[in-house]
Amino acid sequence: MKKYASYLLLLLFFTAHATLSAQKTLRTLASPNKQTAVTVGLNKTGEPFYKITYRGKTAVDWSRLGFNTKEYNLHSGFKLAATKITTHDETWKPVWGEVAQIRDHYNELAYTLSDETGCTMIIRFRAYEEGAGFRYEFPLQDCKTKVTVTDELTEFQMTGDHTAWWIPGDYDSNEHVYTTGKISAIDCAWYNREHAISTQHIVKMKNVQTPITMKTADGTHIALAEAALADFGALHLETDNNALKFKASLIPSADSTVKSVNTMPFHSPWRAVLLSKDAAGILESKLILNLNEPCKIEDVSWIKPQKYVGVWWEMHVGLATWDLEATQDMMAATGREVKGRHGANTENVKRYIDFAGKYGFDGVLVEGWNIGWKDWFGKWKDEVFDFAKPYPDFDIDELTRYAREKGVRIIAHHETSSAVPSYERQMDAAYAFMNKYNQNAVKTGYVGKIIPRGEWHDGQWMNNHYLRVAERTAKNRIMVDMHEPVRPSGWHRTWPNWMACEAARGQEFNAWSTGNPPEHECILPFTRILGGPMDYTPGIFETRMNTYDPKKTEVVHTTVAKQLALYVTLYSPLQMAADLPENYEKRLDVFQFIRDVPVDWDDTRILNAAVGDYITIARRQKGAQNWFLGSITDENPRNFSMKLDFLPAGKTYEATIYADGPGAHWKENPYPVNISKRTVRKGDVLEIQLAAGGGCAVSLVVK
Amino acid sequence: MKKYASYLLLLLFFTAHATLSAQKTLRTLASPNKQTAVTVGLNKTGEPFYKITYRGKTAVDWSRLGFNTKEYNLHSGFKLAATKITTHDETWKPVWGEVAQIRDHYNELAYTLSDETGCTMIIRFRAYEEGAGFRYEFPLQDCKTKVTVTDELTEFQMTGDHTAWWIPGDYDSNEHVYTTGKISAIDCAWYNREHAISTQHIVKMKNVQTPITMKTADGTHIALAEAALADFGALHLETDNNALKFKASLIPSADSTVKSVNTMPFHSPWRAVLLSKDAAGILESKLILNLNEPCKIEDVSWIKPQKYVGVWWEMHVGLATWDLEATQDMMAATGREVKGRHGANTENVKRYIDFAGKYGFDGVLVEGWNIGWKDWFGKWKDEVFDFAKPYPDFDIDELTRYAREKGVRIIAHHETSSAVPSYERQMDAAYAFMNKYNQNAVKTGYVGKIIPRGEWHDGQWMNNHYLRVAERTAKNRIMVDMHEPVRPSGWHRTWPNWMACEAARGQEFNAWSTGNPPEHECILPFTRILGGPMDYTPGIFETRMNTYDPKKTEVVHTTVAKQLALYVTLYSPLQMAADLPENYEKRLDVFQFIRDVPVDWDDTRILNAAVGDYITIARRQKGAQNWFLGSITDENPRNFSMKLDFLPAGKTYEATIYADGPGAHWKENPYPVNISKRTVRKGDVLEIQLAAGGGCAVSLVVK
């Protein structure tokens, strides 16, 4: 009880015992159907506070708002200058996505505060049925020209010791395994002891990244997230284990005392609280997308969701190197002997082009095609890569011609090794080079410590860089897939050419580390992927790394059937078939699902979901009546009877079911896939049996 | 005596009591005529030390060498692996300069050390008659790939409490007034108390900048400097007031524990010790230039030394603003009322073009022509300027046409407000824009705190940026004049399109601050200008700022005659006539000297010099027989009888003498200039009378 005492006092202050002036500042904003309500007010020293209720219960209790800055007092001494409530109801169509259209329906409160000099700060709240968002706005004012934020004071006061799924508040990486546990137990010390990520920088042991998702005792799900992150340090949260409270903790700039520097007018990113009565509602939420700005690209005809293969997994399993000198692959990066040869040679790339052309893939990613790789890893070097100069064994003219002949495109790769200004100096030249060689998609990479030195992957400077790349690629009609950036915050609504990010622990970790536990893919959609698609690179058929080197013990922590199901459960408009062509050609019957599954959808239904345990999703193909279903589980086998209610009445479907076969188990026997066909209709029941670490993929093609 | 005790012990260690192994490592390198000698050796723990003698006396006593790094021990445990002595004698021709050719004559010692793993560090010494240079070299080795320097241990042990001329070791600015005083009294506290520079960052109170020049009790002059600074933090020196020793103190990166990060192979910049029996010898020294690499530009035909005027002083005296909105000038920057209008308007620029065309100037600098100025000052803003977008009242098409008609060119201005990555992102576009508009010279600027945040004007990242600009402008056949960069270190030998820098306290300070004391221009050539030309912007005829605003009390701290003499004594291939056209047109007789004086020379003679007191220099015009003489003094009036021995025998010259007129005094009466003509020949004596803060300029035109 003690830990709630101060908050009770605050609550009392706002109600029974409030001074008249403070009471007068209270405003409540309800969502259109009243499911969510935000109340905001000033206490007697002029400090702003808010609370959020959901379905009649408090979801976020009284929590502080405001900033510490170098120039101004933006946290106390405020007076309420004006309030304005408006309503908004709009339906918009994403360029690509999980559904054909999205409703953006909210009530909005502009809560305008003024300080004693008459300068104003607006806190803008939006109440949706499925949560709330708010941001701080600073209009253009002669009295304030620059704000150097040293701390954001925003708090999220939880009302109980919820179960949380979190990764540590690392300034430089989000490629961590998730921890499941109570708020009161959040502690990142383990991550620092393990030091599993080569570029990690975990400073505060109680800091976690957003989105963080929680489940309350009554089953309500709460996700704290950020939307439209721009010109600001990313929002991490500092946990108060006792008070069960999170406080904003922005990633600093190279000047560690500075979180952001902004010039008027500006506004903070949105702080978002996603609320749902169950886990499925979190997956269905479009709140983060809705808080982002509409599409800024006028002609979007060139933006094409797609599947691709590429010269990539070879480097991860130790068969090929990025550099011509054959010294750089993931064996080298993890301190082992390098045996492979340069992967991006003309002959090998042609092999992938042949494969892509034969099986209907749109793109062939080629990593290691350009000079610079010998110096790329761990050197914190300022000038590493030339983005317009291929290695001599990569015949770009011939490969461009060959790819065109086969009806595919080479996907460019711009690893920066985090020497970011060097990349920015070359962007114009690099994108012109891509256009010249018929390339319209690029995978960028930010491995290693950032240059400008002292900046962090998630700091203001880099967050602006990522957006700059999205804008500059859009200008050049190029789609972009970023690896190792800050986690996304819904920017793909505004810049739909920004197809996907890595920004989390991807498949690759299974090739050369302790890997991703079977529950990993059951957590990602509730956390990281809330902000935008992930280039997870599913589709590994040869899951045991000792196939490549008897000394290797690493395995992919799923069955092969689960690898198929990920194409449905982990939504992305850009999906790789990550394994080697020869592995696919050995199991073309299983591979058929990867060939068939779309990457763009008109409808999505969450059939069941429990964070960290299981997810079953059905999606309807864009512009067609075909449905695809994916179901995955964690380390526990599960059986589901799934009623096919989502199918339209009166239509008959051929279901092809790719299920875990007899004895399937992610570790003991990942390979068996049982492929069966049956005819189904709306209302039929599909019995789904998931092995430990298993999954099931189903294509439902209208007859 | 106590303070020398440890050094005596060291000396003894190297001689009488040395262990055999340590004694065996001693090597001495003498200059070709033996005037300078460097001795280097390892002590018994394998730490390298050196000493320098000059004309039989010790100039730098035993001093430590080496580095602290994050990865390796580069300061002790070394063994001597090899030594090699070579000799070099070459004469080269600068593209422009003070003399037509320069002799580069030295003996060189490559002192190769190896550590216990067999990795090597070469310390390369060069002994010249007028001093010595050394640098550290790290060849490409598999055993070492990256070196993160945390401290450079190089020392310069002085042999007495010399008089020194120094400015504080500011990370961000070199625009300080010089202090004259004993080594034992060096202390920067005053500079921090005054805080006279808006962007200053003085961390260590005993740190001074290089070049620092000293005079010993016997009149020997010693300057400690740096040459060919690249990919490293600038060399400042930490003073030990008791031991009379300087230790290298490199400017850190944004990560304050890191001074530089380099990848093998690399080498440090040169550390240079300039030695002379008198002050004049320091001015004559070409040691810093010789330590730089030869010219890297093949076709130098487009590089033209020149004089220019410009829309610039207007902003400093409060008549005009940089921004269209008329809010930004030096009145605003110094907290006073802004009254001027936007300076870079078409009509006003035409006035300067007319003036330049009429009086034979090559260029017209225009500041404030492009959008962004409203947000330029003090906001630490990331994206401020567009370098290809003029203000609407600057008709660039018409002005380009008009300038071409008048035979002059507009000099572009790229103020970055230190948002450097923003500039780098725009460089290609900006230089293409310049080429389009017939502009072949640009003045760049770095006002304010650096972005990338945490970096410093003098750190590794910025030092690489300045060189990058020199290279990229050269590629576009553009000459560059940098304001607020690191002080130069002789790079104009390698990149002669890098015409000049500000990088010191220039004329502008006289317009809006306590100004530059009369001795200032008598110190600059012995310190800052040793590294390269300065764009000091001489030529102010209206020296009293109350002319522009009765409330202003600032004055230029020279007489008008001294302003003329500066065109000779402060060498630069790019010289501004900085005052307003209307001020020149009032005194066209005096202005004639500025019209006549060249900016490129075949020969230079230092006629007399005393650091901080006076300088008299005669120079012979490039490709002609005309000579020009400049003589300046500090706050003391002086008389010199100057024998014209430098004139060639048998030729008659018309001397036009611009001398301080009756009653001239920098403060009391700066204006009188006495213009007289006489015919002179070799051996004639010129009586020069310099007023307090005065000067004398003489043109000697062959008859």
Side-chain angles (χ1 to χ4, degrees), chain B residues 38-99:
Chain B
V38 183
T39 304
V40 58
L42 294 173
N43 71 8
K44 64 178 174 182
T45 58
E47 293 174 322
F49 282 78
Y50 78 103
K51 64 177 284 187
I52 301 174
T53 59
Y54 176 68
R55 294 163 66 92
K57 286 186 180 171
T58 300
V60 178
D61 211 337
W62 287 110
S63 296
R64 201 167 172 198
L65 296 161
F67 295 98
N68 287 335
T69 80
K70 288 200 175 177
E71 297 85 2
Y72 313 103
N73 176 354
L74 295 179
H75 56 79
S76 67
F78 280 120
K79 285 196 167 55
L80 184 58
T83 62
K84 186 179 176 189
I85 289 182
T86 52
T87 196
H88 183 92
D89 191 1
E90 173 200 19
T91 297
W92 59 277
K93 294 185 178 181
V95 175
W96 44 257
E98 298 175 88
V99 291

Side-chain angles (χ1 to χ4, degrees), chain A residues 3-37:
Chain A
K3 63 190 173 193
Y4 296 112
S6 58
Y7 300 90
L8 272 177
L9 281 173
L10 184 70
L11 187 62
L12 289 169
F13 169 80
F14 272 116
T15 53
H17 303 288
T19 61
L20 190 63
S21 65
Q23 209 173 24
K24 272 186 171 166
T25 66
L26 282 177
R27 294 291 183 279
T28 294
L29 174 77
S31 60
N33 291 325
K34 316 270 188 274
Q35 187 161 263
T36 305

